Amino acid sequence: MNDTPIPVDPLARLASPEVQRQAAHIVQEAFARVFRLAVGEAGADAGDELARIEAALRQWVAAADDEPARALRLALLLSGLDQWGLAYTQAFGLVGIPALSRLLGTLRTGLDAKAEARFLIQFEALEVDECAAQDFKVELRRHLHLALWHAMIASDNREDALAVLAQLGGMMLALIRALPTLGWRLVADALAHIQIQCLSEGLAAEGLAQETTLALFASLRQALPREDHDRIMAHAARALLAWQQARRAN
């Protein structure tokens, strides 16, 4: 873990922090719609719904100012959708999400050689530099972690809840290891928002929901070196304190 200041985002010139956060929200909404298709909620309208999702994503990509910015927007969408899909297939024991696979494929269909090359450059930049598109990564992971936590505490089946707990805890630990500068901050942010929702909405106050939430915090404490764990919890505590102060001020 690295507690040095976060470097300047090298992709901010192509996608502002606001655009990056917007991308994360668009990904979350698109995945939710695709996942509903996977569980059969759309019925006979599934093909039309997938086409509408694709059209909306393409429209957002096309709204960028130039070709490199459009390539980055597409890379953000595909990277984000892939992360949501991987997390959900592992957490819920799915073989795959066919509608998501089709969407990811069709979004790249039609790219000519130059557009494909621009896309690959931006996609690689996201993967290689952990601080590239950092606002996107923070927003994406916050909502992904919270979505899994909500699924965990909503379950009344112990086996299912524990499976999501294992996936969520494993994701957080993997993130810390993979992103030495940004990863632990993303985990601290998620833990702070879990605590905020517990306090503001009275969630996970009893029963299996409380048990698994406490187990999540305990598993991180056990798995991490004490210094690293203390740094994460101190960062989360500062975010929680800032929320409490803002709430009192209002």
Side-chain angles (χ1 to χ4, degrees):
M1 281 174 50
N2 186 341
D3 61 356
T4 58
I6 300 176
V8 174
D9 184 348
L11 296 180
R13 61 184 179 82
L14 294 177
S16 68
E18 181 181 358
V19 168
Q20 292 181 29
R21 289 190 289 270
Q22 184 184 34
H25 286 281
I26 289 171
V27 165
Q28 181 184 12
E29 180 183 355
F31 179 78
R33 293 170 66 184
V34 170
F35 194 70
R36 285 195 290 270
L37 296 180
V39 297
E41 291 186 12
D45 190 40
D48 291 340
E49 173 65 0
L50 195 61
R52 287 191 290 269
I53 296 169
E54 178 192 346
L57 297 180
R58 287 188 183 279
Q59 183 178 21
W60 184 75
V61 168
D65 292 335
D66 54 32
E67 293 297 341
R70 284 189 277 276
L72 177 55
R73 287 194 178 200
L74 181 59
L76 292 173
L77 294 181
L78 293 186
S79 173
L81 287 168
D82 185 62
Q83 290 180 62
W84 274 87
L86 179 62
Y88 266 59
T89 53
Q90 293 179 345
F92 300 107
L94 304 175
V95 175
I97 306 176
L100 179 62
S101 298
R102 289 197 298 273
L103 178 62
L104 293 174
T106 56
L107 284 172
R108 288 184 66 177
T109 299
L111 293 179
D112 60 27
K114 290 183 179 180
E116 177 73 10
R118 285 191 294 266
F119 163 77
L120 291 174
I121 288 171
Q122 301 303 335
F123 193 86
E124 183 178 4
L126 287 175
E127 299 296 315
V128 171
D129 187 343
E130 65 172 292
C131 294
Q134 54 194 247
D135 287 276
F136 168 76
K137 291 174 180 176
V138 169
E139 199 76 9
L140 180 87
R141 282 293 179 158
R142 175 187 299 158
H143 291 289
L144 178 50
H145 290 150
L146 285 175
L148 289 175
W149 176 69
H150 275 285
M152 181 183 78
I153 66 172
S155 177
D156 56 6
N157 181 290
R158 175 174 294 275
E159 184 177 350
D160 292 343
L162 292 178
V164 179
L165 167 62
Q167 172 64 14
L168 180 54
M171 281 177 57
M172 289 180 168
L173 291 172
L175 196 61
I176 293 168
R177 298 186 185 107
L179 307 178
T181 300
L182 199 60
W184 69 270
R185 292 176 167 94
L186 300 183
V187 171
D189 175 84
L191 296 178
H193 279 81
I194 287 173
Q195 294 177 83
I196 287 169
Q197 293 202 7
C198 287
L199 291 173
S200 64
E201 301 178 30
L203 299 179
E206 60 184 9
L208 184 59
Q210 183 185 64
E211 177 187 336
T212 50
T213 299
L214 292 174
L216 173 64
F217 282 78
S219 67
L220 294 174
R221 183 175 64 251
Q222 293 168 4
L224 292 169
R226 181 172 180 176
E227 181 181 358
D228 293 348
H229 175 264
D230 289 349
R231 182 181 295 127
I232 289 171
M233 295 311 299
H235 195 80
R238 287 193 292 272
L240 180 60
L241 178 61
W243 170 80
Q244 290 173 323
Q245 291 173 338
R247 192 183 192 190
R248 284 195 292 268
N250 294 330

